[in-house]
mmCIF file of all heavy atoms in Angstrom:
data_model
loop_
_atom_site.group_PDB
_atom_site.id
_atom_site.type_symbol
_atom_site.label_atom_id
_atom_site.label_comp_id
_atom_site.label_asym_id
_atom_site.label_seq_id
_atom_site.Cartn_x
_atom_site.Cartn_y
_atom_site.Cartn_z
ATOM 1 N N PHE C 78 301.311 -20.522 161.060
ATOM 2 C CA PHE C 78 300.254 -19.682 161.638
ATOM 3 C C PHE C 78 299.906 -20.036 163.089
ATOM 4 O O PHE C 78 298.819 -19.696 163.556
ATOM 5 C CB PHE C 78 298.978 -19.718 160.777
ATOM 6 C CG PHE C 78 299.136 -19.097 159.407
ATOM 7 C CD1 PHE C 78 298.131 -19.216 158.442
ATOM 8 C CD2 PHE C 78 300.269 -18.372 159.070
ATOM 9 C CE1 PHE C 78 298.266 -18.639 157.181
ATOM 10 C CE2 PHE C 78 300.413 -17.793 157.807
ATOM 11 C CZ PHE C 78 299.410 -17.929 156.866
ATOM 12 N N ALA C 79 300.790 -20.743 163.827
ATOM 13 C CA ALA C 79 300.506 -21.064 165.229
ATOM 14 C C ALA C 79 301.698 -20.676 166.105
ATOM 15 O O ALA C 79 302.856 -20.909 165.742
ATOM 16 C CB ALA C 79 300.205 -22.546 165.402
ATOM 17 N N ALA C 80 301.405 -20.123 167.270
ATOM 18 C CA ALA C 80 302.444 -19.634 168.173
ATOM 19 C C ALA C 80 303.502 -20.692 168.460
ATOM 20 O O ALA C 80 303.203 -21.889 168.474
ATOM 21 C CB ALA C 80 301.795 -19.190 169.483
ATOM 22 N N THR C 107 296.840 -13.551 170.276
ATOM 23 C CA THR C 107 296.547 -14.253 171.528
ATOM 24 C C THR C 107 297.577 -15.335 171.856
ATOM 25 O O THR C 107 298.168 -15.347 172.925
ATOM 26 C CB THR C 107 295.150 -14.912 171.450
ATOM 27 O OG1 THR C 107 294.221 -13.908 171.028
ATOM 28 C CG2 THR C 107 294.725 -15.472 172.782
ATOM 29 N N GLY C 108 297.767 -16.239 170.900
ATOM 30 C CA GLY C 108 298.648 -17.377 171.154
ATOM 31 C C GLY C 108 300.086 -16.940 171.369
ATOM 32 O O GLY C 108 300.782 -17.447 172.258
ATOM 33 N N ASN C 112 302.050 -17.393 174.985
ATOM 34 C CA ASN C 112 303.216 -18.258 175.117
ATOM 35 C C ASN C 112 304.466 -17.483 175.557
ATOM 36 O O ASN C 112 305.255 -17.977 176.355
ATOM 37 C CB ASN C 112 303.464 -19.033 173.815
ATOM 38 C CG ASN C 112 302.571 -20.251 173.711
ATOM 39 O OD1 ASN C 112 302.799 -21.261 174.362
ATOM 40 N ND2 ASN C 112 301.494 -20.137 172.939
ATOM 41 N N ASP D 30 288.012 -27.887 165.801
ATOM 42 C CA ASP D 30 288.972 -26.810 165.520
ATOM 43 C C ASP D 30 289.137 -26.580 164.016
ATOM 44 O O ASP D 30 289.535 -25.489 163.600
ATOM 45 C CB ASP D 30 290.334 -27.127 166.162
ATOM 46 C CG ASP D 30 291.249 -25.913 166.238
ATOM 47 O OD1 ASP D 30 290.730 -24.782 166.441
ATOM 48 O OD2 ASP D 30 292.462 -26.068 166.084
ATOM 49 N N ILE D 33 286.488 -23.757 162.881
ATOM 50 C CA ILE D 33 286.652 -22.337 163.211
ATOM 51 C C ILE D 33 288.082 -21.994 163.619
ATOM 52 O O ILE D 33 288.361 -20.870 164.041
ATOM 53 C CB ILE D 33 285.692 -21.911 164.353
ATOM 54 C CG1 ILE D 33 285.893 -22.820 165.581
ATOM 55 C CG2 ILE D 33 284.243 -21.981 163.893
ATOM 56 C CD1 ILE D 33 285.216 -22.286 166.824
ATOM 57 N N GLY D 34 288.993 -22.949 163.498
ATOM 58 C CA GLY D 34 290.381 -22.647 163.855
ATOM 59 C C GLY D 34 291.286 -23.240 162.808
ATOM 60 O O GLY D 34 290.940 -23.234 161.621
ATOM 61 N N ASP D 35 292.415 -23.756 163.239
ATOM 62 C CA ASP D 35 293.348 -24.324 162.274
ATOM 63 C C ASP D 35 293.503 -25.825 162.433
ATOM 64 O O ASP D 35 294.437 -26.426 161.911
ATOM 65 C CB ASP D 35 294.706 -23.616 162.353
ATOM 66 C CG ASP D 35 295.236 -23.567 163.766
ATOM 67 O OD1 ASP D 35 294.536 -24.068 164.676
ATOM 68 O OD2 ASP D 35 296.332 -23.024 163.973
ATOM 69 N N GLY D 36 292.556 -26.438 163.149
ATOM 70 C CA GLY D 36 292.472 -27.892 163.166
ATOM 71 C C GLY D 36 293.575 -28.611 163.916
ATOM 72 O O GLY D 36 293.820 -29.786 163.689
ATOM 73 N N ASP D 37 294.254 -27.895 164.806
ATOM 74 C CA ASP D 37 295.352 -28.545 165.513
ATOM 75 C C ASP D 37 295.067 -28.768 167.000
ATOM 76 O O ASP D 37 295.912 -29.298 167.718
ATOM 77 C CB ASP D 37 296.658 -27.753 165.347
ATOM 78 C CG ASP D 37 296.535 -26.334 165.868
ATOM 79 O OD1 ASP D 37 295.437 -25.957 166.335
ATOM 80 O OD2 ASP D 37 297.535 -25.598 165.813
ATOM 81 N N CYS D 38 293.902 -28.392 167.473
ATOM 82 C CA CYS D 38 293.610 -28.444 168.910
ATOM 83 C C CYS D 38 293.737 -29.872 169.441
ATOM 84 O O CYS D 38 294.372 -30.113 170.467
ATOM 85 C CB CYS D 38 292.214 -27.879 169.172
ATOM 86 S SG CYS D 38 291.875 -27.614 170.914
ATOM 87 N N GLY D 39 293.150 -30.835 168.730
ATOM 88 C CA GLY D 39 293.195 -32.222 169.181
ATOM 89 C C GLY D 39 294.608 -32.789 169.173
ATOM 90 O O GLY D 39 295.030 -33.471 170.116
ATOM 91 N N GLY D 41 297.430 -31.118 169.398
ATOM 92 C CA GLY D 41 298.195 -30.478 170.469
ATOM 93 C C GLY D 41 297.852 -31.067 171.833
ATOM 94 O O GLY D 41 298.748 -31.430 172.605
ATOM 95 N N VAL D 42 296.551 -31.167 172.108
ATOM 96 C CA VAL D 42 296.108 -31.656 173.412
ATOM 97 C C VAL D 42 296.552 -33.116 173.607
ATOM 98 O O VAL D 42 297.004 -33.494 174.686
ATOM 99 C CB VAL D 42 294.576 -31.483 173.543
ATOM 100 C CG1 VAL D 42 294.044 -32.278 174.726
ATOM 101 C CG2 VAL D 42 294.220 -30.002 173.678
ATOM 102 N N ILE D 76 302.277 -28.577 173.951
ATOM 103 C CA ILE D 76 301.115 -28.304 173.088
ATOM 104 C C ILE D 76 301.416 -27.194 172.077
ATOM 105 O O ILE D 76 301.188 -27.348 170.887
ATOM 106 C CB ILE D 76 299.853 -27.944 173.907
ATOM 107 C CG1 ILE D 76 299.503 -29.067 174.893
ATOM 108 C CG2 ILE D 76 298.672 -27.690 172.964
ATOM 109 C CD1 ILE D 76 298.220 -28.842 175.674
ATOM 110 N N GLY D 77 301.940 -26.052 172.527
ATOM 111 C CA GLY D 77 302.120 -24.904 171.639
ATOM 112 C C GLY D 77 300.788 -24.251 171.340
ATOM 113 O O GLY D 77 299.734 -24.672 171.833
ATOM 114 N N GLY D 78 300.814 -23.201 170.519
ATOM 115 C CA GLY D 78 299.568 -22.527 170.150
ATOM 116 C C GLY D 78 298.869 -21.932 171.359
ATOM 117 O O GLY D 78 299.443 -21.788 172.435
ATOM 118 N N THR D 79 297.595 -21.618 171.198
ATOM 119 C CA THR D 79 296.851 -20.962 172.258
ATOM 120 C C THR D 79 296.481 -21.934 173.376
ATOM 121 O O THR D 79 296.619 -21.631 174.565
ATOM 122 C CB THR D 79 295.564 -20.330 171.694
ATOM 123 O OG1 THR D 79 295.938 -19.462 170.621
ATOM 124 C CG2 THR D 79 294.839 -19.526 172.755
ATOM 125 N N SER D 80 296.019 -23.129 173.023
ATOM 126 C CA SER D 80 295.554 -24.028 174.082
ATOM 127 C C SER D 80 296.698 -24.475 174.978
ATOM 128 O O SER D 80 296.502 -24.720 176.166
ATOM 129 C CB SER D 80 294.780 -25.214 173.507
ATOM 130 O OG SER D 80 295.540 -25.863 172.526
ATOM 131 N N GLY D 81 297.916 -24.565 174.429
ATOM 132 C CA GLY D 81 299.072 -24.892 175.261
ATOM 133 C C GLY D 81 299.250 -23.863 176.352
ATOM 134 O O GLY D 81 299.426 -24.194 177.537
ATOM 135 N N MET D 83 296.979 -21.698 177.465
ATOM 136 C CA MET D 83 295.804 -21.562 178.335
ATOM 137 C C MET D 83 295.705 -22.711 179.334
ATOM 138 O O MET D 83 295.531 -22.500 180.537
ATOM 139 C CB MET D 83 294.516 -21.513 177.483
ATOM 140 C CG MET D 83 294.455 -20.321 176.556
ATOM 141 S SD MET D 83 294.614 -18.761 177.464
ATOM 142 C CE MET D 83 295.256 -17.719 176.165
ATOM 143 N N ILE D 117 293.758 -17.863 183.539
ATOM 144 C CA ILE D 117 293.515 -18.108 182.114
ATOM 145 C C ILE D 117 292.938 -16.869 181.447
ATOM 146 O O ILE D 117 293.332 -16.483 180.346
ATOM 147 C CB ILE D 117 292.567 -19.314 181.919
ATOM 148 C CG1 ILE D 117 293.224 -20.591 182.467
ATOM 149 C CG2 ILE D 117 292.216 -19.492 180.446
ATOM 150 C CD1 ILE D 117 292.338 -21.831 182.369
ATOM 151 N N LYS D 118 291.999 -16.209 182.158
ATOM 152 C CA LYS D 118 291.375 -15.015 181.576
ATOM 153 C C LYS D 118 292.419 -13.926 181.339
ATOM 154 O O LYS D 118 292.410 -13.241 180.310
ATOM 155 C CB LYS D 118 290.264 -14.503 182.492
ATOM 156 C CG LYS D 118 289.029 -15.395 182.483
ATOM 157 C CD LYS D 118 288.037 -15.047 183.580
ATOM 158 C CE LYS D 118 287.356 -13.727 183.325
ATOM 159 N NZ LYS D 118 286.305 -13.459 184.346
ATOM 160 N N ARG D 120 295.677 -14.426 180.980
ATOM 161 C CA ARG D 120 296.565 -14.902 179.919
ATOM 162 C C ARG D 120 295.944 -14.701 178.542
ATOM 163 O O ARG D 120 296.622 -14.378 177.570
ATOM 164 C CB ARG D 120 296.866 -16.394 180.130
ATOM 165 C CG ARG D 120 297.788 -17.003 179.149
ATOM 166 C CD ARG D 120 299.240 -16.625 179.385
ATOM 167 N NE ARG D 120 299.797 -17.339 180.521
ATOM 168 C CZ ARG D 120 300.650 -16.806 181.411
ATOM 169 N NH1 ARG D 120 301.050 -15.545 181.282
ATOM 170 N NH2 ARG D 120 301.107 -17.503 182.425
ATOM 171 N N GLY D 121 294.649 -14.847 178.452
ATOM 172 C CA GLY D 121 293.970 -14.686 177.164
ATOM 173 C C GLY D 121 293.763 -13.244 176.768
ATOM 174 O O GLY D 121 293.197 -12.970 175.713
ATOM 175 N N GLY D 122 294.186 -12.327 177.610
ATOM 176 C CA GLY D 122 293.959 -10.916 177.310
ATOM 177 C C GLY D 122 292.584 -10.491 177.792
ATOM 178 O O GLY D 122 291.818 -9.901 177.040
ATOM 179 N N ASN D 123 292.288 -10.810 179.065
ATOM 180 C CA ASN D 123 290.991 -10.494 179.665
ATOM 181 C C ASN D 123 289.818 -11.127 178.923
ATOM 182 O O ASN D 123 288.865 -10.452 178.520
ATOM 183 C CB ASN D 123 290.794 -8.979 179.772
ATOM 184 C CG ASN D 123 291.835 -8.359 180.667
ATOM 185 O OD1 ASN D 123 292.125 -8.895 181.735
ATOM 186 N ND2 ASN D 123 292.417 -7.255 180.231
ATOM 187 N N THR D 124 289.917 -12.409 178.771
ATOM 188 C CA THR D 124 288.831 -13.149 178.124
ATOM 189 C C THR D 124 287.573 -13.059 178.984
ATOM 190 O O THR D 124 287.639 -13.109 180.216
ATOM 191 C CB THR D 124 289.224 -14.628 177.968
ATOM 192 O OG1 THR D 124 290.593 -14.701 177.578
ATOM 193 C CG2 THR D 124 288.349 -15.309 176.947
ATOM 194 N N LYS D 125 286.430 -12.911 178.312
ATOM 195 C CA LYS D 125 285.155 -12.831 179.021
ATOM 196 C C LYS D 125 284.227 -13.935 178.536
ATOM 197 O O LYS D 125 284.406 -14.465 177.430
ATOM 198 C CB LYS D 125 284.483 -11.484 178.748
ATOM 199 C CG LYS D 125 285.178 -10.312 179.403
ATOM 200 C CD LYS D 125 284.447 -9.011 179.107
ATOM 201 C CE LYS D 125 285.291 -7.835 179.547
ATOM 202 N NZ LYS D 125 286.666 -7.861 178.988
ATOM 203 N N ASP D 128 282.979 -14.673 174.669
ATOM 204 C CA ASP D 128 284.030 -14.523 173.640
ATOM 205 C C ASP D 128 284.208 -15.786 172.807
ATOM 206 O O ASP D 128 285.006 -15.816 171.882
ATOM 207 C CB ASP D 128 285.385 -14.178 174.297
ATOM 208 C CG ASP D 128 285.431 -12.742 174.811
ATOM 209 O OD1 ASP D 128 284.498 -11.967 174.508
ATOM 210 O OD2 ASP D 128 286.409 -12.401 175.508
ATOM 211 N N LYS D 129 283.456 -16.835 173.156
ATOM 212 C CA LYS D 129 283.528 -18.123 172.462
ATOM 213 C C LYS D 129 284.889 -18.774 172.675
ATOM 214 O O LYS D 129 285.623 -19.059 171.717
ATOM 215 C CB LYS D 129 283.237 -17.946 170.963
ATOM 216 C CG LYS D 129 282.968 -19.263 170.236
ATOM 217 C CD LYS D 129 282.604 -19.013 168.781
ATOM 218 C CE LYS D 129 282.249 -20.311 168.079
ATOM 219 N NZ LYS D 129 280.883 -20.309 167.575
ATOM 220 N N THR D 130 285.235 -18.987 173.937
ATOM 221 C CA THR D 130 286.478 -19.700 174.255
ATOM 222 C C THR D 130 286.182 -20.694 175.367
ATOM 223 O O THR D 130 285.037 -20.842 175.809
ATOM 224 C CB THR D 130 287.581 -18.755 174.774
ATOM 225 O OG1 THR D 130 287.195 -18.286 176.083
ATOM 226 C CG2 THR D 130 287.777 -17.556 173.854
ATOM 227 N N MET D 131 287.232 -21.333 175.847
ATOM 228 C CA MET D 131 287.087 -22.273 176.964
ATOM 229 C C MET D 131 286.503 -21.598 178.204
ATOM 230 O O MET D 131 285.926 -22.270 179.065
ATOM 231 C CB MET D 131 288.434 -22.921 177.285
ATOM 232 C CG MET D 131 289.554 -21.952 177.622
ATOM 233 S SD MET D 131 291.084 -22.814 178.088
ATOM 234 C CE MET D 131 291.580 -23.549 176.547
ATOM 235 N N ILE D 132 286.654 -20.275 178.280
ATOM 236 C CA ILE D 132 286.105 -19.530 179.415
ATOM 237 C C ILE D 132 284.586 -19.652 179.477
ATOM 238 O O ILE D 132 283.986 -19.624 180.555
ATOM 239 C CB ILE D 132 286.533 -18.038 179.340
ATOM 240 C CG1 ILE D 132 288.065 -17.927 179.451
ATOM 241 C CG2 ILE D 132 285.844 -17.177 180.396
ATOM 242 C CD1 ILE D 132 288.643 -18.536 180.720
ATOM 243 N N LYS D 179 287.712 -13.694 170.649
ATOM 244 C CA LYS D 179 289.116 -13.892 171.056
ATOM 245 C C LYS D 179 289.673 -15.095 170.323
ATOM 246 O O LYS D 179 288.917 -15.967 169.871
ATOM 247 C CB LYS D 179 289.190 -14.147 172.577
ATOM 248 C CG LYS D 179 289.053 -12.890 173.427
ATOM 249 C CD LYS D 179 290.359 -12.137 173.579
ATOM 250 C CE LYS D 179 290.166 -10.669 173.945
ATOM 251 N NZ LYS D 179 289.667 -10.513 175.306
ATOM 252 N N GLY D 180 290.997 -15.116 170.247
ATOM 253 C CA GLY D 180 291.655 -16.271 169.638
ATOM 254 C C GLY D 180 291.489 -16.310 168.124
ATOM 255 O O GLY D 180 290.921 -15.405 167.512
ATOM 256 N N ARG D 181 291.971 -17.385 167.550
ATOM 257 C CA ARG D 181 292.014 -17.503 166.094
ATOM 258 C C ARG D 181 290.634 -17.479 165.459
ATOM 259 O O ARG D 181 290.453 -16.954 164.351
ATOM 260 C CB ARG D 181 292.725 -18.807 165.734
ATOM 261 C CG ARG D 181 293.163 -18.919 164.303
ATOM 262 C CD ARG D 181 294.028 -20.147 164.100
ATOM 263 N NE ARG D 181 295.219 -20.098 164.916
ATOM 264 C CZ ARG D 181 296.311 -19.414 164.597
ATOM 265 N NH1 ARG D 181 296.364 -18.748 163.476
ATOM 266 N NH2 ARG D 181 297.360 -19.410 165.404
ATOM 267 N N ALA D 182 289.636 -18.047 166.147
ATOM 268 C CA ALA D 182 288.294 -18.093 165.573
ATOM 269 C C ALA D 182 287.729 -16.690 165.392
ATOM 270 O O ALA D 182 286.850 -16.458 164.553
ATOM 271 C CB ALA D 182 287.371 -18.929 166.459
ATOM 272 N N LYS D 193 280.734 -25.262 167.698
ATOM 273 C CA LYS D 193 281.082 -25.264 169.113
ATOM 274 C C LYS D 193 282.581 -25.016 169.282
ATOM 275 O O LYS D 193 283.386 -25.469 168.469
ATOM 276 C CB LYS D 193 280.723 -26.633 169.710
ATOM 277 C CG LYS D 193 280.592 -26.609 171.233
ATOM 278 C CD LYS D 193 280.518 -28.010 171.811
ATOM 279 C CE LYS D 193 279.128 -28.617 171.632
ATOM 280 N NZ LYS D 193 279.047 -29.947 172.283
ATOM 281 N N ASP D 194 282.938 -24.277 170.330
ATOM 282 C CA ASP D 194 284.354 -23.989 170.572
ATOM 283 C C ASP D 194 285.075 -25.227 171.127
ATOM 284 O O ASP D 194 284.651 -25.792 172.146
ATOM 285 C CB ASP D 194 284.487 -22.830 171.564
ATOM 286 C CG ASP D 194 285.947 -22.603 171.917
ATOM 287 O OD1 ASP D 194 286.708 -22.221 171.022
ATOM 288 O OD2 ASP D 194 286.320 -22.835 173.092
ATOM 289 N N PRO D 195 286.150 -25.648 170.504
ATOM 290 C CA PRO D 195 286.836 -26.867 170.968
ATOM 291 C C PRO D 195 287.391 -26.741 172.385
ATOM 292 O O PRO D 195 287.333 -27.706 173.159
ATOM 293 C CB PRO D 195 287.962 -27.068 169.950
ATOM 294 C CG PRO D 195 288.102 -25.784 169.209
ATOM 295 C CD PRO D 195 286.767 -25.105 169.276
ATOM 296 N N GLY D 196 287.934 -25.574 172.728
ATOM 297 C CA GLY D 196 288.503 -25.404 174.069
ATOM 298 C C GLY D 196 287.463 -25.619 175.159
ATOM 299 O O GLY D 196 287.767 -26.155 176.238
ATOM 300 N N SER D 197 286.226 -25.225 174.895
ATOM 301 C CA SER D 197 285.175 -25.410 175.900
ATOM 302 C C SER D 197 284.890 -26.894 176.101
ATOM 303 O O SER D 197 284.520 -27.324 177.197
ATOM 304 C CB SER D 197 283.906 -24.649 175.483
ATOM 305 O OG SER D 197 283.295 -25.271 174.366
ATOM 306 N N VAL D 198 285.072 -27.673 175.059
ATOM 307 C CA VAL D 198 284.878 -29.126 175.167
ATOM 308 C C VAL D 198 285.994 -29.735 176.020
ATOM 309 O O VAL D 198 285.760 -30.661 176.805
ATOM 310 C CB VAL D 198 284.813 -29.773 173.764
ATOM 311 C CG1 VAL D 198 284.767 -31.290 173.869
ATOM 312 C CG2 VAL D 198 283.600 -29.244 173.004
HETATM 313 N N1 ADP E 2 291.848 -15.415 174.605
HETATM 314 C C1 ADP E 2 291.544 -16.680 174.946
HETATM 315 N N2 ADP E 2 291.281 -16.995 176.214
HETATM 316 C C2 ADP E 2 290.985 -18.265 176.550
HETATM 317 N N3 ADP E 2 290.951 -19.272 175.678
HETATM 318 C C3 ADP E 2 291.201 -19.012 174.401
HETATM 319 C C4 ADP E 2 291.510 -17.719 173.960
HETATM 320 N N4 ADP E 2 291.723 -17.779 172.631
HETATM 321 C C5 ADP E 2 291.535 -19.043 172.257
HETATM 322 N N5 ADP E 2 291.227 -19.808 173.315
HETATM 323 C C6 ADP E 2 290.938 -21.247 173.305
HETATM 324 O O1 ADP E 2 291.938 -21.925 172.535
HETATM 325 C C7 ADP E 2 291.285 -22.903 171.757
HETATM 326 C C8 ADP E 2 292.079 -23.209 170.511
HETATM 327 O O2 ADP E 2 293.314 -23.767 170.867
HETATM 328 P P1 ADP E 2 294.411 -24.042 169.777
HETATM 329 O O3 ADP E 2 293.834 -24.860 168.682
HETATM 330 O O4 ADP E 2 295.652 -24.544 170.420
HETATM 331 O O5 ADP E 2 294.671 -22.554 169.271
HETATM 332 P P2 ADP E 2 295.490 -22.005 168.011
HETATM 333 O O6 ADP E 2 295.636 -23.141 167.055
HETATM 334 O O7 ADP E 2 294.634 -20.929 167.504
HETATM 335 O O8 ADP E 2 296.789 -21.475 168.528
HETATM 336 C C9 ADP E 2 289.933 -22.314 171.434
HETATM 337 O O9 ADP E 2 289.004 -23.322 171.192
HETATM 338 C C10 ADP E 2 289.604 -21.511 172.665
HETATM 339 O O10 ADP E 2 288.800 -22.234 173.576
#
Side-chain angles (χ1 to χ4, degrees):
Chain C
F78 294 171
T107 309
N112 279 284
Chain D
D30 196 35
I33 55 168
D35 52 359
D37 59 359
C38 191
V42 166
I76 303 184
T79 305
S80 53
M83 297 303 155
I117 297 178
K118 288 169 70 175
R120 182 76 75 218
N123 298 316
T124 319
K125 290 181 191 53
D128 287 351
K129 194 176 184 119
T130 70
M131 57 176 69
I132 297 302
K179 282 277 158 70
R181 195 172 300 279
K193 200 192 282 184
D194 175 65
S197 70
V198 174

